[in-house]
Amino acid sequence: MTFKWLFEPVANPSSLLRKWFVFLLLVHGITAFFSQGIFHCDEHYQIIEFIGYKLGWVPATGLAWEFESQIRPWLQPLLFFIPVKALVGVGITNPLTLELVLRLLSGLLGWGSLAVLSRTLFSFLGRTQKAFWITLLFSSFYFLPQFHVRTSSESMSTAFLMLAFAQCLNPQLNPARFTLVGFLLGLSFEARYQTAIAGLGLALWLFFTTRQKLQCAVFGTLGGVSAMVLGALADRWGYGTWVFPAYSYLKVNLIEGKAASFGVSPWWDYFTTFRK
């Protein structure tokens, strides 16, 4: 078997990539349809049940302890609540059907973020044959469709982070794009607070690599604050009062030590777990 075709010129790589992402869209749809259950319990207790609570299907006393502690963000449940409420309004109340719709929407967001970042990466690398293969391999990880269709905070926050990264790679940086980067990073944070570490790193990288540092700082901050205001309104809608779940999350889990009650591992456990 020969692999010479890997090194032969690719005719119209842009067209091939477009066809590849149409195929990936189909794969995402099939994955969403055949997925069952949840990947992690938080996907159900912190997203699905929160939606059920706002629909009046789940009592507050039946929610996980995080609801009473007010440490979970409501932006993602709100974004999912809107289509669910519309479907319920026309008589579609089967939980399995509603979850399928949410998986399809989540998969569409994940696929879209991958397509945007891949297209930007292809242009950033010069639209060469090497850029074509790098982009193709980058978007071909087998686990991506399964990850994208999950209605989890990890899936949504990563999608917003990838969209922000794509904007950073665009050579035409301007105030509007800096604002968009900040807004997307803010949405990523509001979906999952731990993403703040990656978001801060990306923001600092953009700040130190661009010549428009003042515009980057001002408009990027403006975009980030706008996303956090949107998140605060979502939290107000969810909890029924003005709260700051990000601080409560830090206070309850780290200062009060709630996270440690679920088990503590040394830093090198990442490597031993990976080996298993």
Side-chain angles (χ1 to χ4, degrees):
M1 183 177 181
T2 177
F3 292 92
K4 290 183 178 180
W5 58 274
L6 284 171
F7 305 97
E8 294 176 355
V10 178
N12 200 350
S14 297
S15 178
L16 282 177
L17 283 178
R18 283 194 296 269
K19 294 177 181 178
W20 168 246
F21 276 98
V22 171
F23 171 73
L24 280 185
L25 180 60
L26 177 62
V27 172
H28 278 68
I30 295 174
T31 304
F33 184 82
F34 286 101
S35 294
Q36 297 180 0
I38 58 175
F39 183 75
H40 189 275
C41 58
D42 283 357
E43 183 180 348
H44 177 78
Y45 291 115
Q46 311 305 332
I47 306 296
I48 303 300
E49 284 208 343
F50 275 29
I51 298 173
Y53 165 71
K54 296 305 292 186
L55 289 171
W57 296 352
V58 180
T61 55
L63 297 175
W65 65 270
E66 287 95 335
F67 176 79
E68 184 178 355
S69 299
Q70 300 179 335
I71 67 172
R72 292 289 182 173
W74 271 89
L75 180 63
Q76 185 174 3
L78 172 59
L79 294 177
F80 282 165
F81 173 83
I82 296 172
V84 168
K85 182 66 174 179
L87 292 172
V88 171
V90 296
I92 301 176
T93 58
N94 188 315
L96 297 180
T97 302
L98 296 176
E99 288 189 3
L100 172 59
V101 171
L102 292 183
R103 287 198 300 272
L104 288 170
L105 291 175
S106 181
L108 183 62
L109 175 62
W111 171 85
S113 66
L114 181 64
V116 170
L117 180 56
S118 297
R119 183 185 65 181
T120 307
L121 181 63
F122 180 59
S123 300
F124 181 78
L125 295 176
R127 296 179 175 270
T128 62
Q129 179 172 316
K130 182 184 295 186
F132 168 79
W133 288 113
I134 291 175
T135 305
L136 187 68
L137 292 173
F138 165 75
S139 60
S140 301
F141 288 108
Y142 70 94
F143 56 83
L144 287 178
Q146 174 64 17
F147 174 74
H148 287 156
V149 303
R150 302 318 313 172
T151 54
S152 64
S153 60
E154 291 86 352
S155 177
M156 179 170 283
S157 63
T158 301
F160 287 135
L161 186 66
M162 292 177 68
L163 288 171
F165 184 39
Q167 299 304 316
C168 293
L169 293 179
N170 195 306
Q172 298 179 352
L173 293 173
N174 52 49
R177 200 169 299 278
F178 288 132
T179 304
L180 181 58
V181 170
F183 185 70
L184 290 170
L185 290 179
L187 292 180
S188 179
F189 171 76
E190 287 294 334
R192 183 167 177 79
Y193 297 137
Q194 292 89 332
T195 315
I197 299 175
L200 178 61
L202 182 60
L204 290 174
W205 173 79
L206 179 62
F207 176 79
F208 286 110
T209 56
T210 184
R211 296 180 179 178
Q212 303 156 280
K213 288 183 170 50
L214 180 59
Q215 290 185 355
C216 178
V218 172
F219 290 98
T221 301
L222 178 63
V225 170
S226 300
M228 295 186 70
V229 169
L230 182 62
L233 293 174
D235 296 331
R236 173 66 176 81
W237 169 78
Y239 289 116
T241 185
W242 291 107
V243 293
F244 189 22
Y247 170 75
S248 299
Y249 187 93
L250 178 68
K251 177 177 178 290
V252 171
N253 282 300
L254 297 184
I255 299 177
E256 297 179 1
K258 181 66 176 181
S261 66
F262 298 106
V264 179
S265 302
W267 63 268
W268 60 80
D269 194 55
Y270 285 105
F271 301 102
T272 58
T273 303
F274 178 78
R275 185 182 61 184
K276 296 177 183 179

